[in-house]
Amino acid sequence: MSVHFISAGPGAPDLITVRGRDLIVRCPVCLYAGSLVSEALLAHCPAGARILDTAPMSLEEIIAEMSRAAAAEQDVARLHSGDLSLWSALQEQTRRLDELRIPYTITPGVPAFAAAAAALGRELTLPGLAQSVVLTRTPGRASPMPERERLSSFAATRATLAIHLSIHVIDRVVEELLPHYGADCPAAIVYRVSWPDQRIIQAALGTIATSMGSAPIERTALILVGPALAATDFRESALYDIDYRRRFRGRGD
């Protein structure tokens, strides 16, 4: 018996990995984050599976369900949105499972920032402009930010920023970034990426907040900022340069 933590991806049910899908198929118990995970994925559950939406459940209740399944020797599919490595509350669950000596596996998935880049048709790293992507957020009620992880500190690098869980304070985000990126820096808001109601807003950093118009976005959106988001005049990488010698290309000599 194992609890299988499965990254369900950003929303579209076909963006789950093959491994994740195959694990769901064989688990008689499925716990899923109903507020963020597509219910279409539940179609992979076996007939008669015990399926529970964990959105209204406490951590203690979730662990109790896992313990009950362990006692019955039933595998559990635990579905989380995006990728489990980011803001998933994975560790607090596995810490309790370790204490209970209940085995588990972790299956990675498509994170929201990668899906957003695909939706925008952009590479987040470009030669000479940005070679780093910073995944961060602003403070929230459930998770304060460490003092050293200030948004302005990350912005000082002018790397591509992927700012999660912060759309409700977009004005504050813009104010903090403007001194480092400037008002003309490309920015984007991607709402519910890969879902049927996906919405994309692209504008300069100075106007991105007002570009949402009369339909404000309050949750489930990613803010992207950085020169790479709209650059067309950039140096090409040496990766495919005919004169670049590397080990996997014949030198012709």
Side-chain angles (χ1 to χ4, degrees), residues 132-146:
S132 301
V133 179
V134 177
L135 312 178
T136 189
R137 58 168 296 176
T138 54
R141 287 183 303 167
S143 300
M145 293 293 288

Side-chain angles (χ1 to χ4, degrees), residues 27-214:
C27 289
V29 178
C30 178
L31 306 177
Y32 74 105
S35 59
L36 296 170
V37 172
S38 173
E39 290 192 2
L41 287 172
L42 303 181
H44 298 301
C45 293
R50 177 173 171 78
I51 302 173
L52 294 171
D53 179 358
T54 59
M57 297 170 66
S58 68
L59 178 59
E60 287 69 25
E61 290 171 328
I62 292 170
I63 298 301
E65 287 292 339
M66 294 176 178
S67 297
R68 186 177 297 115
E73 287 294 316
Q74 294 180 315
D75 280 4
V76 177
R78 173 66 169 121
L79 301 183
H80 282 266
S81 63
D83 180 76
L84 283 154
S85 64
L86 301 170
W87 302 293
S88 66
L90 168 70
Q91 219 68 57
E92 58 200 55
Q93 296 173 79
T94 58
R95 179 168 60 184
R96 283 167 168 77
L97 294 182
D98 285 337
E99 293 170 353
L100 296 169
R101 297 189 178 183
I102 296 175
Y104 55 85
T105 68
I106 300 171
T107 298
V110 178
F113 79 89
L120 292 169
R122 301 301 306 189
E123 182 181 352
L124 301 182
T125 56
L126 291 176
L129 285 178
Q131 288 295 288
S132 301
V133 179
V134 177
L135 312 178
T136 189
R137 58 168 296 176
T138 54
R141 287 183 303 167
S143 300
M145 293 293 288
E147 180 63 26
R148 63 189 178 277
E149 294 185 19
R150 291 177 177 271
L151 194 56
S152 57
S153 298
F154 294 133
T157 68
R158 289 183 58 81
T160 303
L161 298 188
I163 307 168
H164 298 69
L165 306 169
S166 302
I167 192 63
H168 61 293
V169 289
I170 180 68
D171 291 329
R172 192 198 325 162
V173 169
V174 170
E175 182 181 3
E176 198 164 350
L177 298 184
L178 278 175
H180 303 280
Y181 288 97
D184 294 332
C185 182
I189 294 171
V190 185
Y191 169 73
R192 284 175 61 84
V193 63
S194 82
W195 291 82
D197 57 345
Q198 172 183 287
R199 181 181 171 197
I200 296 175
I201 300 169
Q202 293 178 271
L205 179 61
T207 60
I208 191 69
T210 56
S211 296
M212 287 189 288
S214 59

